Each structure stands twice: as C-alpha cells, then as structure tokens.
Amino acid sequence: MATGVFDIIHLGHLHYLEESKRLGDELVVVVATDETVRKRKHEPITPQKMGCELVASLKPVDKALLGKEGGDMFEIVREIRPDIITIGYDQPFEPEQLERELEKRGLKVKVVRLPHLDHDLDGTRKIITKIIEFHTIEKKLKAVERR
Amino acid sequence: MATGVFDIIHLGHLHYLEESKRLGDELVVVVATDETVRKRKHEPITPQKMGCELVASLKPVDKALLGKEGGDMFEIVREIRPDIITIGYDQPFEPEQLERELEKRGLKVKVVRLPHLDHDLDGTRKIITKIIEFHTIEKKLKAVERR
C-alpha cells in the first residue's frame, strides 16, 4: 500500500510507486481526499476523482482508491489489509512509530521508507510547488474579492 | 501513433491515449521536444525527458519517444510507420489534409480525429492553462531581470 496526494503527477510519484510495487505482488494506492489535501497542504488543483483515475492508469499501480473522509487513517488500512506500507522520502511519518500505532490496533504491517531516488528532479518539484502556491494564492484572492 | 506535448499529464491526455490504443494493437506516442513546445505553445514546465518517461508509464502506452528536433514532422512517421495516427480534439490538424500530405511522401496512414470525451474536464484544463501562463510569465520576468 502506498499513499499520497498526487495532485499533479510527476516523476517523483512514478518512482515512488515503481519502488513500492517492487516490494510486493499487488500495489494498492490510497489517494488523499480533497478534504485531507486542504487540511494538510493546500488547495487541491485537480479534484480527487481525477487524481484517482490518473494514478490507477500508471503501470506499477494495480488499484487506486480514495482515502476516507473525516475518519481515522487506520480505517483504510483495516480495509486494504496490506502486508507492507511504503512511505515516500518526504512523507511526515516515522516507520517504526507507525508500525507500533498499527500494532496497537491489531494491524501487523511492515512500514518501509523509500529513499530519495531522483536527484535531478528537484527543479521540477520546485516548479510544481510554485504552481501550487500560485493556485492557492489565487483562490484566496478570489475568496477575498467575493466578500 | 499519437502525439502531444504532455507537459502536465491530465485526464484529457489519458482519455486521448486510451481511445488511441483502442484503435490498434500497439500504441507509440511521440512527445514534443522542448524546442517544439517553445515554438508552438509556451515555455515547457517539465523537461522533455521527464514527459517522455511519464507518458511511457501510462497503461495504454506501449512506447513513448521524443519527436525530432528541427526536422520535418514526417521524419518520425517514416521511422514509426504507423497504420493509424490519432489527432486529439484540440490539435490543429485536418485529418484529410494530413492524410494527403502523408501520401505525397509515400506514407499511407489513416488519420483519425478523436472526439472530445470529457465534458467535466474543462475546469482542470483552464487551471492548467493558467499554470502554464504563470510559468511562462515568470520565465520572461527572470529573463528581463537578468538584463
């Protein structure tokens, strides 16, 4: 099981999913809901349904589904019952701590952090970050104008 | 054979490629070079090599390769020898005219324009257009500042 926002698909995502797939037989990807994206990062650029369809169309991915709205993050793990959960190099989880939290809930899952593979991608990531910032600012501006 | 810029991959691209794949056995996608993108549309957001790898990772795609720098557009058709070329609904080619131009060069290829499938995508496309405009303006600004 891999997780992420996947708002604009870039090579960093693809490499994370390829590495995740290599660790098992079937790769299920949980795509963050718009609600979660808003809470944690920024205004979503593409609606959740679209992100999910795009992720499902990537070769390493066997299945993509949306995270649960509002509920706790362990609910979807209970549903998928993965053997392994992969964490991207920039995701804010500690593998060992997450394993312990899962075990407390009766979920025996190996959590693996994947290394940062693509040193040449930082440029793209910066561009994407800028794009996202721009989009968020624009939304805020519109909200202010509407007042 | 399908063609495109694929600078930021969105559902419109995916649907175009899925429909293209349905028409034949093997789908080869020609990704526009950065040079071509600059000439025709705007400053590229992701370098051509990355666009090519991302397109190749999509399930309907068997192979993705870069267009030819500088040369005429028929060169790559001669190399791939496709049975069918698909044109996206918004690509500026007339299928019949393109077929005639190909035939003049000894290339017997069926050209098919695919319909606009996704009515709910206009929002995303507008956002992407804005993102691209922003990026182009930013590049121009930097060029001016460097003077």
Side-chain angles (χ1 to χ4, degrees), chain A residues 6 9-20 58-60 118, chain B residues 50 53-58:
Chain A
F6 307 106
I9 307 258
H10 57 77
L11 277 190
H13 293 137
L14 178 63
H15 293 168
Y16 163 57
L17 296 174
E18 282 171 344
E19 286 306 302
S20 299
L58 295 170
K59 284 173 183 169
D118 358 79
Chain B
M50 294 186 189
E53 195 182 333
L54 265 184
V55 169
S57 79
L58 296 170

Side-chain angles (χ1 to χ4, degrees), chain A residues 8-11 14-15 18 44-47 49-51 53-63 120-121 124 127-128 130-131 134-135 138 142, chain B residues 8-11 14-15 18 44-47 49-51 53-63 120-121 124 127-128 130-131 134-135 138 142:
Chain A
I8 288 180
I9 307 258
H10 57 77
L11 277 190
L14 178 63
H15 293 168
E18 282 171 344
I45 290 174
T46 48
K49 235 187 77 193
M50 293 185 190
E53 194 182 334
L54 264 184
V55 169
S57 79
L58 295 170
K59 284 173 183 169
V61 179
D62 294 289
K63 199 178 162 184
D120 56 330
L121 277 181
T124 310
I127 288 165
I128 288 165
K130 252 185 220 161
I131 285 168
F134 169 67
H135 182 62
E138 201 194 40
K142 271 186 197 151
Chain B
I8 288 179
I9 307 257
H10 57 76
L11 277 191
L14 178 63
H15 293 169
E18 282 172 344
I45 290 174
T46 49
K49 235 187 79 192
M50 294 186 189
E53 195 182 333
L54 265 184
V55 169
S57 79
L58 296 170
K59 284 174 183 167
V61 179
D62 294 288
K63 199 177 164 185
D120 56 332
L121 277 180
T124 309
I127 289 166
I128 288 166
K130 252 186 219 162
I131 285 168
F134 169 67
H135 182 62
E138 201 193 40
K142 271 186 196 151

Side-chain angles (χ1 to χ4, degrees), chain A residues 2 9-10 14 19 52 56 78 93 109 113 127 132:
Chain A
I9 307 258
H10 57 77
L14 178 63
E19 286 306 302
C52 217
R78 253 179 235 117
F93 300 106
V109 189
R113 181 180 296 281
I127 288 165
I132 287 167

Side-chain angles (χ1 to χ4, degrees), chain A residues 87-104:
Chain A
I87 306 284
Y89 80 96
D90 59 350
Q91 286 181 309
F93 300 106
E94 262 317 304
E96 283 173 31
Q97 199 192 328
L98 188 54
E99 272 181 8
R100 278 196 301 274
E101 291 296 321
L102 286 158
E103 212 169 346
K104 270 188 209 166

